[in-house]
Amino acid sequence: MVDLNSLIGAVVSGLMIGSIYALIAVGLALIWGVMNVINFAQADYMALGAFLGFVILEALGVDPLISLSLIFATVFLVGILTQVVAIEPVLEAPVLSQITVTFSLLLIIRYGLEVVMGPYTRIVEVPYRDMFIRVGGVSFSLPQLIALIVSLAVAFALYLFMSRTFLGAALRATAQDMLAAQLHGINIKQMYRLAFGIGVGISAIGGVLLSLFYPIYPEMGAFFTMIAFICVVLGGFGSIFGAYLGGIIIGLLETVSALFISPSLKTLAAFIVFILIILFKPKGLFGR
């Protein structure tokens, strides 16, 4: 029998983990929504962000939360460079070519990190890593609580950017009708670069937040890639809000289901939901 404190703890933990999934999924949904490109390397940009935070902490002693803006900016520029060098040449090519390119990026980032950092698992040693906050009979991990707060702040900032700025409106116009946007003077090539840069930059923020309570290793993107795709399918491809909500739902499913089944099988619940969505609502909850 599951007691109330355990259930509350699982729900809160699910919100916290789900907020990380949500950031990775939002970046993936943004890139797909604007460019119609499936970025298989999305979670490896997350790993890149996590390792950048680790290196800055080890070399300069700067907390990853303080260097978060710098890491976002760095991965944002890497994303734009990637877009110019690797994605733009195949935008008009068959989908299989685009998939091959983003899968190649996955391998380059993943094994590039392994060459530079070694195949070892690293721990980001911040002073608050093992701190907990106790409310009533429920304990919450402080790093996970920080991750949830920052994730919500990033999502709100993205909402403001997309809804209140000219560039955000131009991105939305490009996503809705690329040709019409082009006729209104919007530079589509620049919008694609902006979308890819922001998409992978947000994923890198997710990696930094994850590293505060989760071990990091060069191949960590493999698992999170699968999770990101499930979140985006659940929310609906192209829907940024749906992708964020999908991440939260998957996080809740994992932690709550772990109360009733073996924790080693908790991801199974996410995959069952994924299959059910594909069967009964292929476009997801908010898909276009």
Side-chain angles (χ1 to χ4, degrees), residues 3-282:
D3 61 83
L4 183 60
N5 285 340
S6 298
L7 184 59
I8 294 172
V11 169
V12 175
S13 181
L15 290 173
M16 295 171 178
I17 297 293
S19 68
I20 302 291
Y21 296 162
L23 286 184
I24 306 166
V26 160
L28 185 64
L30 177 65
I31 292 170
W32 168 259
V34 175
M35 301 169 52
N36 282 347
V37 169
I38 300 175
N39 182 20
F40 282 93
Q42 187 69 22
D44 291 276
Y45 285 97
M46 176 207 75
L48 180 61
F51 272 96
L52 280 174
F54 172 79
V55 169
I56 292 173
L57 176 66
E58 291 293 309
L60 305 174
V62 178
D63 188 296
L65 289 176
I66 296 175
S67 58
L68 196 58
S69 299
L70 174 64
I71 293 167
F72 170 79
T74 303
V75 178
F76 172 82
L77 293 175
V78 170
I80 290 179
L81 182 64
T82 304
Q83 170 68 16
V84 172
V85 174
I87 307 293
E88 278 182 9
V90 296
L91 277 178
E92 304 299 328
V95 174
L96 186 59
S97 299
Q98 297 175 6
I99 290 175
T100 303
V101 167
T102 60
F103 192 76
S104 299
L105 289 171
L106 174 158
L107 297 176
I108 290 169
I109 296 171
R110 191 171 297 177
Y111 295 106
L113 281 174
E114 195 161 307
V115 168
V116 175
M117 302 299 297
Y120 317 110
T121 297
R122 312 295 181 109
I123 300 294
V124 175
E125 296 287 357
V126 288
Y128 46 86
R129 186 178 182 91
D130 297 320
M131 288 186 181
F132 285 83
I133 297 174
R134 191 169 183 82
V135 179
V138 184
S139 295
F140 308 114
S141 161
L142 179 58
Q144 291 186 10
L145 181 60
I146 292 172
L148 174 61
I149 294 170
V150 176
S151 172
L152 289 172
V154 170
F156 184 62
L158 181 63
Y159 165 76
L160 290 179
F161 174 76
M162 295 296 288
S163 62
R164 305 289 175 84
T165 68
F166 172 77
L167 285 176
L171 279 175
R172 286 188 286 116
T174 305
Q176 289 167 5
D177 191 328
M178 186 264 286
L179 290 176
Q182 205 164 20
L183 289 174
H184 282 81
I186 295 173
N187 188 320
I188 300 301
K189 190 175 286 187
Q190 287 185 3
M191 291 302 105
Y192 284 175
R193 292 172 184 175
L194 183 63
F196 201 88
I198 293 176
V200 298
I202 290 176
S203 192
I205 291 176
V208 173
L209 298 176
L210 184 69
S211 72
L212 300 179
F213 58 89
Y214 190 88
I216 64 174
Y217 48 96
E219 297 188 17
M220 65 190 292
F223 171 74
F224 290 97
T225 296
M226 288 191 303
I227 293 295
F229 274 97
I230 291 174
C231 298
V232 171
V233 171
L234 175 59
F237 255 100
S239 170
I240 294 174
F241 170 75
Y244 195 90
L245 186 61
I248 296 293
I249 292 173
I250 294 300
L252 286 171
L253 275 172
E254 281 191 358
T255 53
V256 174
S257 65
L259 295 175
F260 303 97
I261 60 176
S262 168
S264 61
L265 297 175
K266 63 182 183 180
T267 309
L268 182 65
F271 282 102
I272 290 174
V273 169
F274 175 73
I275 292 171
L276 290 175
I277 293 166
I278 291 292
L279 288 176
F280 296 105
K281 199 168 175 50

